[in-house]
Amino acid sequence: MTTKAFESLLALITETSTNLPPDVRRAIKRAQLEEELGTRASIALNTIVDNIVSAEEDVQPICQDTGMPTFIVHCPVGFNQIAFEREIEAAVREATKLGKLRPNSVDPLTGKNTGDNLGEGTPVVHFHQWERDQVEVKLILKGGGCENKNIQYALPTELPGLGRAGRDLDGIRKCILHAVYQAQGQGCSAGFIGVGIGGDRTTGYELAKEQLFRSLDDVNPNPQLAELEDYILDKANQLEIGTMGFGGKVTLLGCKIGVRNRIPASFYVSVAYNCWAFRRLGVVLDPATGEIRHWLYRDNEEKLERPTHAFATDSAIVLEAPISEEQIRKLKVGDVVLIRGEMHTGRDEIHKYLMKHDAPVDLSGGVLYHCGPVMLKDDDGTWHVKAAGPTTSSREEPYQADIIEKFGIRAVIGKGGMGEKTLQGLKKSGAVYLNAIGGAAQYYAKCVKRVNGVDFLEQFGVPEAMWHLEVEGFPAIVTMDAHGNSLHKDVADESLVKLEDLKEPVFV
Ligand code: SF4
């Protein structure tokens, strides 16, 4: 027998995971209009919009990485917080069972995934009391790709491209610009940032994350911070990192800054980076019944139109595994490819494993997909892909070149690009790196026609297992080729030059 509170919390989790709020949709729509049709940034944004529409229609996760579910609860004095936390846990368990959340709770020492998103410290729940007769629950699902791009600065400091950042507003300005620059496309730009000025190392980050709960349309009540927010939004876009780090006019979609007192010895600027899949929602509940009184962040409805064509697939090059070295060496940065046939997922655990062991299947000429999907199993034992976008590839940088060479892999798909060692490895072994559109989990799930099998499911859990997926018309862009070219390196170099142009003091 479920309670009303459980049902309300399950609805909150489901809606947060599958249906982006109107303010975020408006920001993405504006970006879509900014980019010229046919450019890589425009292709990426159209794919993102297509994905948002599908996720809402099918009530499936917008992105496969549903992050660390974080609840902020405000409740009246005397409200039973212990019982309410149990309701949250039950709703999280059920949402995971239904495939609205990916099982993401992992023991850091054993690597064991609990399978239901419950475990030591997960989900995160913060309670605050207030003098109102209502319970407010806000939820954010922030994935690992963008969480890994959070950054904290202790002032004074030296910053690449910007020089000395002092203990003043101009030093803060430089830190925030640098935070956007260092994220490049790895946090699935175009992104949003929450900034915390002051506090200590812990509360600075808390303050930064709190800013992500502000509406994108609000105006900072502190005029100095309001001016800084506008400045950052304008200048960060001049870095031209673009959506997915492909280059383009839109890099940042929102900037919110908060301030908290510090102690004299410490001066922190903490930045929480959130990807375009900015999943945060809230509900106000009746404290007695647990029923939803109203939703938060849903002021005006904002519909997005499904684009007619995300990728221009008519001129795309079809790749079917096993792929020959000759085919791969003909590819160059910027080519759009369509993959058909079998690909194999592999992320952190698989890469570590393959360094020392044989692969469970023949990978020669094969396609390796950096992806941790959301999967559901039918009663008859058949697996279905519920969400399957790419994960951040840079984590595999220490292993990738060796694994490509050892197993004869011809194509690696991921997002955010890889480094110099992989680039040299691609050249040596005759392989390419393909960038899929980060977060487009529904778009890519639709390309999977069948699940051929899975290895290491028990050992590593759903996201880290090796899934063998039969795909058709899976589009991606060559961003690192076998001739030593890397779009990611080019964009990083060019944006550093643009960052240097912003070196001169502005807030003195
Ligand atoms: S959109 Fe990208 S950064 Fe955001 S959760 Fe998904 S994979 Fe991670």
Side-chain angles (χ1 to χ4, degrees), residues 160-216:
L162 294 164
R164 168 62 57 99
R167 292 181 143 212
D168 51 26
L169 198 56
D170 206 66
I172 294 165
R173 171 191 76 90
K174 287 185 177 179
C175 292
I176 305 172
L177 286 172
H178 181 265
V180 178
Y181 159 76
Q182 61 88 40
Q184 292 288 309
Q186 291 173 8
C188 289
S189 57
F192 303 82
I193 51 170
V195 182
I197 303 170
D200 60 19
R201 286 225 182 256
T202 310
T203 60
Y205 265 135
E206 263 173 24
L207 179 62
K209 280 203 174 169
E210 264 171 37
Q211 302 309 304
L212 295 176
F213 283 101
R214 282 173 52 195
S215 160
L216 290 174

Side-chain angles (χ1 to χ4, degrees), residues 212-443:
L212 295 176
F213 283 101
R214 282 173 52 195
S215 160
L216 290 174
D217 305 319
D218 74 2
V219 176
N220 200 312
N222 178 326
Q224 247 185 335
L225 295 184
E227 193 189 348
L228 185 58
E229 286 175 0
D230 289 345
Y231 169 90
I232 295 290
L233 199 51
D234 178 36
K235 300 299 180 205
N237 285 320
Q238 290 181 17
L239 297 179
E240 297 194 356
I241 293 164
T243 301
M244 289 298 125
F246 288 169
K249 293 181 186 149
V250 186
T251 299
L252 193 66
L253 297 168
C255 171
K256 299 289 168 188
I257 307 173
V259 67
R260 188 174 281 179
N261 282 7
R262 60 181 177 84
I263 57 170
S266 308
F267 197 135
Y268 297 113
V269 177
S270 313
V271 182
Y273 188 94
N274 207 106
C275 55
W276 67 261
F278 186 12
R279 291 154 291 173
R280 58 108 172 84
L281 269 182
V283 282
V284 170
L285 306 179
D286 184 307
T289 65
E291 241 163 325
I292 297 176
R293 284 184 180 161
H294 62 265
W295 286 82
L296 302 171
Y297 305 107
R298 285 193 162 166
D299 43 355
N300 300 306
E301 205 189 3
E302 184 68 47
K303 281 280 162 208
L304 290 172
E305 296 282 320
R306 191 189 291 280
T308 33
H309 288 298
F311 278 89
T313 47
D314 23 347
S315 56
I317 300 158
V318 176
L319 293 179
E320 182 167 3
I323 310 166
S324 69
E325 183 175 346
E326 193 191 353
Q327 266 178 297
I328 290 295
R329 293 215 183 260
K330 281 187 192 152
L331 295 173
K332 53 188 189 319
V333 162
D335 286 343
V336 173
V337 299
L338 282 180
I339 298 156
R340 59 185 303 206
E342 195 174 51
M343 61 170 69
H344 315 276
T345 68
R347 36 184 290 163
D348 309 65
E349 293 293 346
I350 295 292
H351 281 76
K352 197 172 137 208
Y353 178 91
L354 290 180
M355 290 296 282
K356 292 197 184 140
H357 304 88
D358 280 342
V361 292
D362 182 8
L363 294 174
S364 107
V367 180
L368 183 66
Y369 185 22
H370 295 162
C371 170
V374 177
M375 306 291 295
L376 279 189
K377 199 177 182 178
D378 275 352
D379 291 342
D380 69 0
T382 313
W383 283 102
H384 295 281
V385 178
K386 291 291 161 189
T391 191
T392 313
S393 300
S394 57
R395 297 195 308 273
E396 318 315 338
E397 179 65 12
Y399 318 110
Q400 199 64 82
D402 300 327
I403 286 174
I404 287 171
E405 187 173 3
K406 180 173 171 186
F407 296 100
I409 291 165
R410 293 279 170 229
V412 172
I413 310 171
K415 58 113 171 159
M418 303 193 74
E420 192 55 33
K421 187 178 171 206
T422 301
L423 191 60
Q424 293 312 319
L426 297 175
K427 204 168 161 184
K428 182 177 173 202
S429 305
V432 281
Y433 176 82
L434 306 171
N435 206 117
I437 309 306
Q442 292 308 312
Y443 187 87

